[in-house]
Amino acid sequence: MSVKTPQALRDATTESKQAGENGRVVYEQFILFGDSITEGDGNPELGFSCYQALQHDYKRRIDIVNRGFSGYNTSNALAVLPRIFPTPQQGPVRLVTLFFGANDASLPDTTGQHIPLTTYTTNLRLLIQHPAITSHSGVRILLITPPPIDEWGFDGWDEPGRSARTAGVARAYAEAVRHVGEETGVAVVDLWGKCMAEAGWTDDDTGKDSKLLLPGNKKLERSEALARLLYDGEF
């Protein structure tokens, strides 16, 4: 265990950008906002954690805040955002990740989480433009596509013979995130594409009108790559 010297304590305070009321140090923040995939980031049993890696890389400089909410879709996110996001005075936000879609993409009349694709894209734009976020000067936003679906991973989760999530629908919601990013100029992490590349799939394999099945579809043999990457069928 290391003991900070008075000089080290002074250094720690000068690394912050602002001072709050009564001289209290206010650190800038990165906020990771998403569903259960974000909430579960940091579980040591699941291997690499982006949340923990950021905490390590930005220690004593920026607070990394996990605001993952299991089961949430983009409509839930819009409802809760004003209540969980700090004001610039409470803590200036430098970066916010928006990682929703896995629940939105559930099929209608299954889990109760489904959000139609057009509403999903509208919700993403509303999140990007929300005053709770844009009130932070210079804040950067990062969109993350929902991951692929390994339909095999949902054995025991869904009703017998009925799946609440499919590989093809997951692709459509990932494409919607990329389109919103292009329209708004917001950076996008194409998690869906990266995972599918690990499964050996490329954009040349299936066009938008192709009837070829995607890796993860239960009509194909199970993809070992997706089974490894998607621990519960969807990440």
Side-chain angles (χ1 to χ4, degrees):
M1 177 178 178
S2 62
V3 178
K4 286 188 175 181
T5 65
Q7 180 61 48
L9 288 172
R10 287 195 292 272
D11 291 344
T13 59
T14 57
E15 287 167 355
S16 175
K17 298 296 184 183
Q18 295 191 14
E21 296 180 1
N22 301 319
R24 176 181 173 272
V25 174
V26 178
Y27 283 89
E28 294 178 324
Q29 299 181 25
F30 289 172
I31 295 184
L32 313 182
F33 189 30
D35 52 33
S36 61
I37 302 174
T38 298
E39 181 179 342
D41 189 10
N43 184 341
E45 297 179 358
L46 300 178
F48 173 79
S49 163
C50 179
Y51 174 54
Q52 291 179 345
L54 288 171
Q55 285 184 317
H56 176 269
D57 290 344
Y58 288 94
K59 57 183 177 289
R60 292 178 54 185
R61 291 181 291 161
I62 293 178
D63 287 339
I64 313 301
V65 181
N66 186 315
R67 289 292 179 263
F69 296 88
S70 178
Y72 272 36
N73 56 34
T74 49
S75 292
N76 301 138
L78 282 168
V80 77
L81 179 58
R83 294 187 285 134
I84 58 95
F85 217 81
T87 65
Q89 293 72 34
Q90 292 170 328
V93 177
R94 289 275 301 278
L95 172 74
V96 56
T97 60
L98 300 176
F99 190 4
F100 292 95
N103 295 317
D104 302 70
S106 61
L107 301 183
D109 302 319
T110 55
T111 66
Q113 300 162 304
H114 172 73
I115 298 295
L117 190 58
T118 54
T119 305
Y120 174 65
T121 56
T122 297
N123 286 348
L124 288 176
R125 295 187 188 98
L126 291 173
L127 286 168
I128 290 169
Q129 300 164 359
H130 200 287
I133 295 177
T134 59
S135 62
H136 291 263
S137 178
V139 65
R140 304 296 294 270
I141 300 173
L142 189 63
L143 288 168
I144 305 175
T145 70
I149 290 294
D150 175 23
E151 296 175 15
W152 294 89
F154 284 96
D155 284 346
W157 284 56
D158 300 328
E159 298 177 28
R162 187 184 189 199
S163 178
R165 293 171 170 84
T166 68
V169 171
R171 179 190 185 188
Y173 280 70
E175 288 178 343
V177 176
R178 293 195 294 268
H179 292 158
V180 170
E182 291 173 359
E183 293 170 3
T184 60
V186 172
V188 175
V189 174
D190 186 6
L191 181 62
W192 186 92
K194 292 298 183 183
C195 290
M196 292 295 282
E198 285 289 318
W201 181 91
T202 68
D203 283 329
D204 294 333
D205 290 337
T206 56
K208 288 185 177 179
D209 298 324
S210 175
K211 296 186 182 300
L212 293 176
L213 299 177
L214 294 167
N217 190 299
K218 217 169 182 180
K219 294 180 180 178
L220 300 174
E221 290 186 9
R222 189 173 191 182
S223 165
E224 293 183 4
L226 292 185
R228 171 173 50 84
L229 292 169
L230 312 175
Y231 71 90
D232 66 353
E234 62 174 353
F235 212 59

